[in-house]
Amino acid sequence: EGDVICVFSQYGEVVNINLVRDKKTGKSKGFCFLCYEDQRSTILAVDNFNGIKIKGRTIRVDHVANYRPPKESEDWDDVTRALHAKGCGVKTPPHTSSDSLSEDEEVPVKKQKGEESS
């Protein structure tokens, strides 16, 4: 979990991570859900990490519609409890570039078929 946070934190503050594990063995299933403090970081991570190789493995990084925090447990910290209550990614930044879309135009959103996330 620490390695994942270290790699992904170069694009922004990671506020929560859900490393999905096998219920019987406790071993990682090879994917996780990761929540950044703001949407810009998520976009940067998807744009820069999707398809790269880390430790000899090509990774897939994409957006998900709803962040999945870890299942409730006694080990939850205050941040995880807050994310579970109100969701993640609520601080979407306003468009700042001069060529941004007007307010009535829709922004296309990438959707993931699988469960891998950033």
Side-chain angles (χ1 to χ4, degrees):
E1 188 173 306
D3 290 344
V4 173
I5 292 173
C6 184
V7 169
F8 281 86
S9 66
Q10 64 185 294
Y11 290 110
E13 185 175 350
V14 176
V15 294
N16 195 260
I17 186 166
N18 179 5
L19 182 62
V20 180
R21 298 182 181 276
D22 183 276
K23 291 177 185 176
K24 292 181 181 177
T25 66
K27 291 185 178 182
S28 170
K29 285 192 169 186
F31 67 96
C32 69
F33 293 90
L34 185 139
C35 181
Y36 280 104
E37 184 176 42
D38 66 55
Q39 186 66 22
R40 281 179 287 219
S41 298
T42 305
I43 293 166
L44 283 170
V46 170
D47 289 349
N48 290 285
F49 285 134
N50 190 41
I52 69 164
K53 282 193 177 188
I54 296 179
K55 295 186 176 182
R57 293 182 64 183
T58 301
I59 64 169
R60 191 174 78 197
V61 181
D62 208 339
H63 301 276
V64 293
N66 296 304
Y67 176 73
R68 294 187 192 182
K71 297 220 184 293
E72 190 167 2
S73 78
E74 295 174 5
D75 300 332
W76 272 12
D77 58 16
D78 291 339
V79 172
T80 305
R81 287 185 203 287
L83 288 172
H84 193 266
K86 68 179 180 183
C88 185
V90 295
K91 301 176 187 175
T92 304
H95 292 291
T96 56
S97 69
S98 59
D99 58 23
S100 64
L101 299 174
S102 67
E103 289 182 22
D104 58 344
E105 291 183 78
E106 290 187 28
V107 178
V109 178
K110 290 182 184 179
K111 293 196 178 181
Q112 175 66 25
K113 291 181 183 177
E115 294 183 336
E116 294 181 54
S117 172
S118 89

